[in-house]
Amino acid sequence: MSYEELLTQTALANEQVIVMTAENRALVRNLPGILGKRFIDTGITEQTMIGAAAGLALRGRTPVVHALAAFLTMRAFEFVRTDVGIANLPVKLSSFIPGFLSDGNGPTHQAIEDISIMRGIPNVTVFAPADEDDLVKMLPQIWESKSPAYTRINTRKTTYIHEPFTPGKAEVISEGSDVTILTYGLLFEQALIAVEMLKSEGLSVGLINMRSLKPVDEQAILKASAQSKLVVTLEDHFLTGGLYTIVAEVLLKHRTTANVLPMALNEKWFRPALLPSVLEHEGFTGKQIAEKILGYQTAHNQPQILTPEFSE
Amino acid sequence: MITVENNNYQELTDTALKVREHIIRMSTDGGCFTGASLSAVDLIVYLYNRFLNINKDNLNNPERDYLFLSKGHDVPALYGTFAELGLLEKERLKNHLLLNDHIYWHPNTKIPGIEFHSGSLGHLPSVAIGVAMDLKISGSTNKVICILGDGELNEGTCWEAMLVANAYKLDNLLFVVDRNHFQANMRTEDLIPLEPLADKFEAFGAAVKRIDGHSFAELDQAFGAFPFQAGKLNVIIADTVRGKGLPSIQERADRWFCNFNADEIEQLLLELHGQHNTTLTSETLVVR
């Protein structure tokens, strides 16, 4: 099922659902004709759209709002925080082209701090599906919840069939004693490739699709840290404030530690190009991920190299 | 709520005087936005007593009118009006700025009758739009009012919201500008000029009326005609005076926020009732 089909089905089944967009109709093109007045396009006005969504939610509606991730989170940040977060209203933020998915757009469109800033707002929950199958398995529960929710929309198709979703629970793909990769969003695809390569090198490899970044599955993180010699956090996000930070917080909260290798964007925006080239250039292909992990394993055995290299 | 015959405004005048008293009494022990809120008293008193279908029995009824106070600094006028209407116990006004209550410098929904929190300017026009849209979708004929400050009109989202209101022909929505001609610290026309303001709103597609915001007769006439143009966002520019009712602080840029001592409060109450014509020399003013 596609995102649009799921949204159509949900909105037809529930009169309270309102679909909104700040003139970003890419994935909701058929909905104006189907939903009539329950489809609201406010034009290129992310802030006003969020405020209006809060007003609609005050009247008992569940607005599912669409805009580009960078503008939904940053242009409208104070509106999300003040109108939706403080009021704790069930506004569902569908954010398009987050992370590397904005590939050729350049830094203005790169939402690589979105997890960080959205999870910083009390009441707002944060989700990041691995692919379209994961997305359509996650969204029904996200939409049914009474909480404000931010979802990184990812409609890429993969061959992986995901488990049913429970908010706050990660999807454990495999467990391993040598290394466990924790990831979310489109890098899940690359992680699958990396896992196969690492396994072919004889390593015992775990992979966890985090799915829900707030609330986060603390037990999955703690278990992976306890049973694997190395934990890798893999994300198309700034190093600060994303999964690496979440893992660090969880470990410290539980007074434990682990060898953690972060793969994220450290103090830099990524070079714009088509997605495969971006991944290659930034070092996030499955092969590069596997090589970096193997390199870290080696480096880790050499005490003089204390920290891995993250940036260019 | 308007009856054409009812053109006796003595009751409203009396209520407005009491609301001004409440505001003065709140202007101590930490203070409040005295000058900023006195300009909106007559407007708010009029709206709750004569225009809005809002009372203490229907605050949670979806079939009520909505008032959104986007100019959060006017909240003492709202609290004073709520106290006079019986939405809020008068005794609770003494809890202003105390931790054991929720009466502080900006509106919040813990106080019955407050529809949405505000304080960050330029937010409630869009929230009001969302409610107005839903009333349209739901087929409800209730009205939505959003009170804006003129200083608040510096915020781009006010104008963004007007574009959207125009696109959606929200004639159940009324923006009311408390046009006291002051920003926080100076006259609007000296900092970010707004005139010709009515022309600006009209250029955004609104139907506009400009009135004396202290004249109940003019308020009655303007609001009574709402919606004065169908299929359009309606706007009332209510020309008001900052600090209205207290000549000693009236029209003074430095009396936006006031924190007076007990003696000064007494003087101001006397001044309000016209028994003295005092001039404040207080240096207790706090600028926030």
Side-chain angles (χ1 to χ4, degrees):
Chain A
M1 188 186 287
S2 73
Y3 173 81
E4 188 174 25
E5 286 163 355
L6 177 69
L7 183 55
T8 305
Q9 180 184 301
T10 306
L12 288 176
N14 183 355
E15 279 283 314
Q16 293 306 101
V17 172
I18 299 271
V19 175
M20 302 180 78
T21 178
E23 225 236 318
N24 186 251
R25 298 192 179 203
L27 295 184
V28 289
R29 288 202 190 285
N30 295 309
L31 284 161
I34 296 167
L35 294 182
K37 287 183 174 176
R38 286 198 289 134
F39 180 90
I40 296 171
D41 188 341
T42 60
I44 307 162
T45 62
E46 289 81 6
Q47 300 167 95
T48 294
M49 175 179 66
I50 295 296
L56 285 150
L58 271 186
R59 291 272 305 165
R61 302 283 185 178
T62 300
V64 180
V65 306
H66 302 78
L68 296 191
F71 312 129
L72 186 60
T73 59
M74 288 179 281
R75 170 78 68 137
F77 177 76
E78 199 219 1
F79 285 69
V80 175
R81 177 260 191 200
T82 294
D83 301 348
V84 176
I86 293 176
N88 197 13
L89 292 166
V91 174
K92 309 300 176 180
L93 307 170
S94 279
S95 107
F96 286 99
I97 63 164
F100 286 146
L101 288 172
S102 75
D103 53 1
N105 281 286
T108 54
H109 286 54
Q110 291 176 9
I112 46 183
E113 55 279 87
D114 58 329
I115 303 291
S116 170
I117 62 181
M118 288 293 110
R119 82 183 185 93
I121 305 173
N123 299 320
V124 176
T125 52
V126 178
F127 306 95
D131 48 38
E132 188 167 60
D133 179 64
D134 204 20
L135 176 71
V136 297
K137 281 177 173 149
M138 291 170 67
L139 282 174
Q141 291 181 69
I142 293 168
W143 288 341
E144 276 164 26
S145 152
K146 290 292 171 200
S147 294
Y150 173 77
T151 308
R152 267 190 163 197
I153 299 300
N154 174 7
T155 56
R156 282 173 68 82
K157 289 169 178 51
T158 69
T159 54
Y160 196 85
I161 307 300
H162 292 271
E163 289 173 5
F165 173 67
T166 306
K169 285 286 168 203
E171 181 188 28
V172 179
I173 311 295
S174 63
E175 297 188 29
S177 57
D178 289 315
V179 56
T180 301
I181 300 172
L182 310 179
T183 192
Y184 59 84
L186 96 153
L187 288 173
F188 176 78
E189 290 175 58
Q190 303 304 321
L192 284 174
I193 297 167
V195 166
E196 287 314 307
M197 293 182 71
L198 291 168
K199 280 183 178 169
S200 72
E201 294 288 326
L203 294 180
S204 168
V205 189
L207 174 61
I208 299 179
N209 172 24
M210 292 306 296
R211 292 181 144 179
S212 179
L213 294 158
K214 183 186 167 189
V216 74
D217 190 341
E218 294 191 359
Q219 291 311 311
I221 292 171
L222 292 171
K223 192 175 173 194
S225 306
Q227 72 185 21
S228 291
K229 296 188 191 94
L230 175 66
V231 170
V232 176
T233 57
L234 174 65
E235 55 191 323
D236 51 341
H237 190 277
F238 284 139
L239 181 63
T240 300
L243 182 56
Y244 175 62
T245 300
I246 292 169
V247 168
E249 288 171 1
V250 170
L251 293 178
L252 194 57
K253 177 179 164 187
H254 292 274
R255 296 184 172 198
T256 186
T257 189
N259 291 313
V260 181
L261 168 62
M263 291 190 201
L265 294 153
N266 191 13
E267 293 290 324
K268 68 192 273 280
W269 283 269
F270 61 82
R271 183 78 66 83
L274 290 178
L275 185 59
S277 305
V278 172
L279 293 176
E280 180 79 33
H281 182 265
E282 300 297 341
F284 286 83
T285 64
K287 182 165 178 286
Q288 289 166 312
I289 293 163
E291 284 166 356
K292 195 172 279 185
I293 290 169
L294 288 168
Y296 180 75
Q297 287 287 73
T298 307
H300 188 63
N301 295 331
Q302 296 170 355
Q304 70 271 27
I305 302 171
L306 295 176
T307 52
E309 192 67 34
F310 307 132
S311 56
E312 274 183 322
Chain B
M1 295 298 102
I2 294 165
T3 53
V4 180
E5 298 79 15
N6 193 346
N7 56 5
N8 179 356
Y9 302 115
Q10 191 56 48
E11 196 186 324
L12 294 179
T13 305
D14 293 345
T15 305
L17 189 69
K18 288 177 190 163
V19 171
R20 288 194 163 86
E21 264 199 55
H22 292 309
I23 293 172
I24 293 167
R25 290 185 196 282
M26 276 187 268
S27 305
T28 188
D29 293 333
C32 69
F33 293 94
T34 316
S37 56
L38 282 169
S39 60
V41 170
D42 299 308
L43 173 65
I44 287 173
V45 164
Y46 172 80
L47 286 172
Y48 278 92
N49 284 279
R50 294 286 176 94
F51 185 68
L52 294 164
N53 163 30
I54 298 174
N55 57 63
K56 65 180 189 304
D57 300 321
N58 75 350
L59 294 179
N60 296 311
N61 185 341
E63 293 308 311
R64 67 180 184 280
D65 293 337
Y66 290 80
L67 183 136
F68 291 98
L69 188 66
S70 199
K71 184 195 172 191
H73 290 160
D74 283 347
V75 77
L78 206 52
Y79 291 151
T81 304
F82 286 180
E84 290 306 314
L85 280 175
L87 270 64
L88 186 67
E89 292 163 43
K90 284 181 188 168
E91 282 297 302
R92 279 182 69 183
L93 295 181
K94 291 180 183 166
N95 297 343
H96 186 230
L97 300 180
L98 297 185
L99 277 172
N100 64 2
D101 209 331
H102 303 280
I103 301 171
Y104 51 86
W105 291 320
H106 292 111
N108 70 91
T109 54
K110 291 207 164 64
I111 304 298
I114 301 280
E115 297 286 3
F116 209 70
H117 55 279
S118 62
S120 178
L121 299 175
H123 277 251
L124 267 52
S126 57
V127 175
I129 279 173
V131 170
M133 283 172 164
D134 189 64
L135 291 169
K136 287 268 182 193
I137 297 167
S138 309
S140 169
T141 56
N142 290 314
K143 310 177 282 290
V144 183
I145 288 196
C146 181
I147 296 180
L148 296 155
D150 45 5
E152 180 173 15
L153 293 175
N154 293 177
E155 292 282 4
T157 48
C158 297
W159 304 94
E160 187 175 297
M162 263 183 282
L163 290 173
V164 176
N166 175 55
Y168 281 82
K169 300 180 168 42
L170 296 175
D171 55 11
N172 55 348
L173 175 62
L174 178 54
F175 284 179
V176 183
V177 181
D178 176 12
R179 179 74 169 119
N180 65 19
H181 302 260
F182 277 90
Q183 314 267 138
N185 301 297
M186 55 199 299
R187 289 183 180 274
T188 58
E189 301 313 286
D190 292 340
L191 186 66
I192 305 293
L194 292 168
E195 297 300 339
L197 186 55
D199 291 355
K200 286 187 171 74
F201 288 129
E202 279 167 3
F204 276 73
V208 186
K209 279 189 187 293
R210 186 157 193 161
I211 58 166
D212 174 351
H214 299 302
S215 160
F216 289 120
E218 289 195 28
L219 288 163
D220 216 356
Q221 201 169 25
F223 283 94
F226 174 78
F228 25 94
Q229 222 167 320
K232 286 191 169 193
L233 166 70
N234 283 222
V235 175
I236 289 178
I237 302 169
D239 281 305
T240 60
V241 173
R242 176 186 271 190
K244 176 73 177 178
L246 295 176
S248 62
I249 73 164
Q250 210 160 285
E251 302 259 32
R252 279 178 60 173
D254 63 352
R255 291 296 187 241
W256 171 52
F257 183 94
C258 302
N259 186 12
F260 296 113
N261 64 36
D263 289 345
E264 289 163 336
I265 295 291
E266 282 310 308
Q267 279 188 324
L268 288 167
L269 290 171
L270 291 172
E271 182 186 347
L272 177 71
H273 290 282
Q275 296 176 32
H276 283 247
N277 192 9
T278 54
T279 303
L280 285 181
T281 55
S282 166
E283 294 307 320
T284 59
L285 174 107
V286 180
V287 176
R288 286 170 198 276

